[in-house]
Every structure is written in structure tokens, then in C-alpha cells.
């Protein structure tokens, strides 16, 4: 999954005009010295002046850091921003909750006001931010999660025009990168390496955000590689902000609950997903495309377009639509979601239990207009399975185990 990187062409040099070095603020190389305050001063200066802040080779251990507008941050090869192993160095921000609802249901209430989370790097109410290079941002997630403190590696919140490029993002204690209430965010050429044993470690989570491009990235995660969200239950319905216009292309997915997933926190709805030219392969990858929601959530999910995807194998299904996700969840029910207009073209999968797997409602028609075209799926012992009411499910030249499916 760690493929050769292209040659870097945009490498800032110390001493160049418009460049400052983090070594003017901190000492590098001491893995046991916390340098949060000094690093924050360097970041603030970079934001104030618009100069590029360079992290040379070395170890920079820190708690939560905030990145402001007009920040340009370059991590050289061998630079390691290493998250503290003390949970107290990651204060919760009092904002919207994420993740971990599976294992911490006691922290949640019916009105959507439940546990908030922290993060290592926060891009907050910012514009024109670039983080790039060949360095590593490491959340010490395995240690922090053992202390009972879920924490994102990066949160981009209420921000615009953000680019993350080339770096390695590894070992968060919860979702790797949470893109919340933001727009025009690009993640390019990034390697996501999460501990498979740490729960709820998604890769990228666009949440009530729009115009997001994820390209040429690789994923090895403990949960969904990419999970699109728009708020959970009353919280999402209150804000009423959908996610929309998300492109995923030329990416590589290895371990994970799903390659590209919508939900389950999707109460604000979602529209317009474009997935193309991706490869996926792992005995621990469970689904290729997955929609997971329930009648606690509500919302409309529509316009899902997938083409030219090559899958070696996945555990469960190439396409899974589940309207009955987490049936034991405590919530106010009766907010029935709608899923419509899905197109899959030229998707090849070498092995899966199911091809299409749909779990819809028996008493109402909320899933419609799905077309599978020019696809070939091999070693699929259960074939396609559709439960509940659906309309206009169409197979055009779909071959499963060598046989055309009508």
C-alpha cells in the first residue's frame, strides 16, 4: 500500500524569503519533551505572516495544536509530529460529537447532545491552508485510546480552501481526519495508516461538508476508509446541512469496514458522490460501497456514481444498502431515510459473499433507481440479495460467476 512517491517539486528551503523554520521555536529530536506551546507560537506566526513554516527532519512531540488562516506548513521527509501519550494534552472542544457511539452508548442521549471529542491538529474557522510534504503526523492513538480518550488526528472545521498533500497520517485514537462544516477541501497523495485493532478509526470523514476531493490516497484502517456523514439524529436534523459534491478517485483501499461509505451519521442527507479508478483488496475489507442508516436518522441519500473500480476481494458485498443499521440503538424513531439513484459501471470484484445486498423496509418503498452496468463479479456464493421493498433495480450486462444476471 505504500507505493513510491513522485519526486517533490515544491520544497521550501530554510533561509528562503517567505520561509521560517520551526527550529527557531523548538528543539528537535527529543521524543520525551512536550513542545506544544512553542509549536503553537510557530504556527501562529506562520498564520499571521503568511510565511511557510518548515518542519525539518526530527521529532516534535505535542498536544493539541490549532492552525489558522493563510497557513503553509511543510513537513520534510523524516519529520515526525508525534502526539502526546497523555490524554490530558487533548482538551475536548465542546463541539459536535463523533464516532465511538458503538462502544459508549451510555454517553449519548436522545436529543443528540452527547460526548464530544478532541484532536491533535485543528484547522478551525480558517481559509487558505496548506499542509504538505513527506513527513508524518502520528496521533499515538493506541496509547490514548487505552486511556479512554477518543481523539481525531486532524479536524477541519468551518473552514474553506484547505489542502493536505503527500504526508503520512497514522495512528489516531478515533477518526483520522474529520472534515466538518467545511468546503473546498482537497486531500491528495496522503497515506492513512490506522491501527486495525483500535475501534472507530475511520480514514477521512467529510461531515456536512461540500466540494471535497480525495485523490491518489491509500488507506489501511480499523473502520471505514472513507465515511461520509451529516450529523446524527436530532443533531443532524437541527443543523440541516447535507454533505454534497464529493469526489474519490485513484485511491487504494486495504483493510477497513468499507471502501467508500455513506453513514451512519447522515441525518442531514447526502447527494452527489463520484468514485472512479480506485483499487481495493483485503480479506479484512468488508464492503466496497456501503450505505448504512436507519429510522433514527432520516434524510435523503441520492446520486451515487461509481465506475472503473478494481476489487481483489471483500468479505461481504460489492454494494450494500442497509436501512436497518443498529436496530437496537436508543433514539426517537420514525425518521425514515430515502436512498435513490445509484449507478455502478465497470466494477470488477474477484471475491465476495454477495454482489448487491439490500436491506430495505417491508412496509414502505424507500430504495429506488439502482443500476449495475458492465460489471463482473467472481466467486460470489450468495449472489445478489434484496430484502424489503425496492423499485427500479436494473442489471445491464452484470455477470456473476460467469453468468449474466437479469
Amino acid at each position: 500500500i505504500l507505493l513510491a512517491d513522485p519526486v517533490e517539486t515544491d520544497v521550501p528551503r530554510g533561509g528562503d524569503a517567505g520561509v521560517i523554520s520551526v527550529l527557531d521555536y523548538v528543539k528537535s529530536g527529543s521524543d520525551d519533551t512536550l513542545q506544544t506551546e512553542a509549536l503553537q507560537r510557530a504556527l501562529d506566526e506562520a498564520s499571521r505572516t503568511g510565511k511557510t513554516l518548515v518542519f525539518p527532519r526530527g521529532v516534535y512531540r505535542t498536544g493539541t495544536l490549532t492552525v489558522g488562516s493563510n497557513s503553509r506548513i511543510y513537513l520534510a521527509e523524516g519529520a515526525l509530529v508525534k502526539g502526546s501519550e497523555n490524554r490530558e494534552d487533548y482538551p475536548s472542544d465542546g463541539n459536535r460529537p463523533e464516532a465511538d457511539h458503538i462502544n459508549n452508548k451510555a454517553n449519548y442521549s436522545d436529543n443528540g447532545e452527547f460526548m464530544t471529542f478532541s484532536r491533535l491538529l485543528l484547522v478551525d474557522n480558517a481559509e487558505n491552508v496548506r499542509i504538505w510534504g513527506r513527513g508524518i503526523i502520528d496521533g499515538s492513538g493506541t496509547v490514548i485510546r487505552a486511556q479512554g480518550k477518543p481523539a481525531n488526528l486532524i479536524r477541519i472545521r468551518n473552514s474553506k480552501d484547505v489542502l493536505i498533500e503527500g504526508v503520512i497520517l497514522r495512528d489516531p485514537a478515533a477518526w483520522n481526519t474529520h472534515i466538518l462544516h467545511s468546503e473546498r477541501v482537497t486531500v491528495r497523495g496522503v497515506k492513512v495508516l490506522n491501527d486495525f485493532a483500535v475501534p472507530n478509526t475511520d480514514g477521512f470523514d467529510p461531515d456536512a461538508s461540500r466540494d471535497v476531493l480525495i485523490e491518489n490516497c491509500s488507506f489501511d484502517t480499523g473502520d471505514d476508509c472513507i465515511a461520509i456523514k451529516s450529523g446524527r439524529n436530532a443533531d443532524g436534523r437541527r443543523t440541516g446541512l447535507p454533505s454534497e459534491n464529493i469526489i474519490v478517485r485513484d485511491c487504494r483501499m486495504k483493510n477497513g469496514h468499507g471502501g467508500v461509505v455513506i453513514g451512519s451519521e447522515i441525518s442531514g442527507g447526502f447527494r452527489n458522490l463520484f468514485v472512479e479508478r480506485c483499487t481495493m483488496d483485503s480479506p479484512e475489507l468488508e464492503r466496497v460501497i456501503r450505505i448504512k442508516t436507519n429510522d433514527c436518522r432520516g434524510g435523503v441519500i441520492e446520486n451515487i456514481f461509481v465506475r472503473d473500480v478494481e476489487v481483489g476481494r471483500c468479505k461481504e458485498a460489492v454494494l450494500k444498502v442497509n436501512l436497518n443499521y443498529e436496530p437496537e440503538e436508543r433514539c426517537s424513531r420514525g425518521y425514515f431515510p430515502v436512498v435513490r439513484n445509484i449507478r455502478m459501471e465497470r466494477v470488477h470484484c474477484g471475491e465476495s459473499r454477495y454482489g448487491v445486498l439490500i436491506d430495505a423496509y417491508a412496509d414502505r418503498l424507500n430504495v429506488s433507481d439502482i443500476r449495475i452496468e458492465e460489471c463482473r463479479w467472481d466467486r460470489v456464493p450468495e449472489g445478489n440479495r434484496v430484502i424489503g421493498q425496492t423499485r427500479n433495480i436494473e442489471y445491464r450486462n452484470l455477470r456473476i460467476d460467469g453468468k449474466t444476471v437479469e
Side-chain angles (χ1 to χ4, degrees):
I1 195 168
L2 294 180
L3 304 180
D5 293 310
V7 175
E8 284 189 286
T9 58
D10 186 9
V11 180
R13 306 292 182 185
D16 290 352
V19 174
I20 55 179
S21 173
V22 75
L23 295 181
D24 294 336
Y25 298 82
V26 303
K27 294 181 179 180
S28 169
S30 177
D31 194 34
D32 56 2
T33 301
L34 200 66
Q35 304 187 90
T36 308
E37 293 184 3
L39 288 170
Q40 189 61 61
R41 287 195 298 271
L43 288 167
D44 291 345
E45 179 69 7
S47 175
R48 185 185 68 82
T49 63
K51 293 182 178 182
T52 298
L53 179 63
V54 173
F55 284 72
R57 177 182 293 271
V59 178
Y60 308 91
R61 188 168 179 177
T62 183
T64 294
L65 296 169
T66 300
V67 176
S69 292
N70 304 313
S71 293
R72 292 170 52 87
I73 303 166
Y74 176 78
L75 278 65
E77 187 171 1
L80 171 61
V81 177
K82 176 70 170 173
S84 167
E85 295 184 357
N86 182 352
R87 61 176 290 176
E88 302 306 321
D89 294 322
Y90 304 94
S92 295
D93 58 20
N95 195 262
R96 187 166 173 171
E98 315 83 34
D100 211 40
H101 55 281
I102 295 174
N103 295 320
N104 290 283
K105 291 181 184 296
N107 292 292
Y108 299 161
S109 64
D110 198 28
N111 65 359
E113 302 291 343
F114 37 89
M115 185 168 62
T116 57
F117 287 60
S118 55
R119 60 277 174 263
L120 176 59
L121 199 65
L122 175 63
V123 180
D124 191 26
N125 288 289
E127 299 183 12
N128 304 318
V129 173
R130 184 184 181 193
I131 301 170
W132 84 105
R134 296 287 174 76
I136 300 171
I137 303 174
D138 185 308
S140 299
T142 305
V143 175
I144 295 299
R145 192 54 177 262
Q147 300 173 37
K149 182 76 169 184
N152 302 136
L153 190 67
I154 298 175
R155 178 178 297 153
I156 301 167
R157 183 175 68 195
N158 299 325
S159 296
K160 301 177 181 179
D161 301 309
V162 178
L163 170 63
I164 302 177
E165 185 172 18
V167 294
I168 296 173
L169 306 178
R170 76 182 186 194
D171 196 19
W175 302 349
N176 189 299
T177 300
H178 183 204
I179 304 168
L180 175 63
H181 295 173
S182 296
E183 58 185 282
R184 298 191 300 274
V185 176
T186 297
V187 188
R188 178 182 297 126
V190 167
K191 300 178 179 68
V192 174
L193 301 174
N194 299 350
D195 189 332
F196 188 74
V198 177
N200 304 121
T201 49
D202 293 355
F204 299 144
D205 289 61
D207 186 349
S209 294
R210 61 179 303 185
D211 302 333
V212 176
L213 170 62
I214 301 169
E215 66 177 351
N216 195 29
C217 295
S218 59
F219 298 85
D220 192 350
T221 72
D223 207 304
D224 299 323
C225 296
I226 297 170
I228 299 163
K229 303 180 184 292
S230 61
R232 184 173 184 266
N233 301 353
D235 175 59
R237 291 190 293 272
R238 180 171 58 247
T239 57
L241 293 174
S243 279
E244 59 185 335
N245 308 336
I246 295 177
I247 298 173
V248 180
R249 65 190 182 201
D250 301 314
C251 290
R252 300 165 296 281
M253 285 80 169
K254 193 179 176 184
N255 292 332
H257 292 181
V260 181
V261 176
I262 301 167
S264 75
E265 301 91 337
I266 200 69
S267 297
F270 172 65
R271 55 181 172 260
N272 307 337
L273 170 67
F274 303 88
V275 180
E276 64 178 351
R277 300 192 306 269
C278 293
T279 59
M280 308 181 190
D281 186 16
S282 172
E284 301 303 327
L285 178 69
E286 296 188 13
R287 303 110 185 157
V288 177
I289 304 294
R290 181 188 189 190
I291 297 171
K292 53 180 179 178
T293 184
N294 59 32
D295 67 338
C296 305
R297 307 286 193 265
V300 176
I301 299 167
E302 62 184 348
N303 306 336
I304 313 301
F305 304 100
V306 183
R307 67 183 183 186
D308 300 318
V309 173
E310 187 72 23
V311 184
R313 55 181 166 172
C314 67
K315 273 188 175 181
E316 188 180 30
V318 180
L319 171 64
K320 182 173 184 179
V321 178
N322 183 4
L323 304 192
N324 295 294
Y325 181 73
E326 286 198 345
E328 302 303 318
E329 180 180 342
R330 294 180 296 159
C331 65
S332 294
R333 293 190 176 269
Y335 301 94
F336 295 99
V338 172
V339 176
R340 63 193 181 205
N341 196 24
I342 300 174
R343 301 287 184 269
M344 298 185 75
E345 300 179 14
R346 299 185 299 278
V347 176
H348 171 240
C349 183
E351 182 178 352
S352 63
R353 183 179 178 186
Y354 298 97
V356 172
L357 177 58
I358 298 175
D359 186 0
Y361 297 126
D363 60 346
R364 66 193 67 230
L365 201 163
N366 285 39
V367 177
S368 64
D369 301 308
I370 298 175
R371 188 171 75 204
I372 312 296
E373 185 171 3
E374 300 293 336
C375 293
R376 188 179 82 252
W377 302 337
D378 300 320
R379 295 193 294 279
V380 188
E382 303 292 337
N384 296 332
R385 185 181 185 191
V386 177
I387 304 168
Q389 293 191 41
T390 63
R391 183 183 64 210
N392 295 341
I393 297 181
E394 183 179 5
Y395 304 123
R396 296 184 181 181
N397 197 22
L398 167 63
R399 295 181 64 82
I400 294 182
D401 291 334
K403 297 179 179 179
T404 300
V405 177
E406 302 294 338

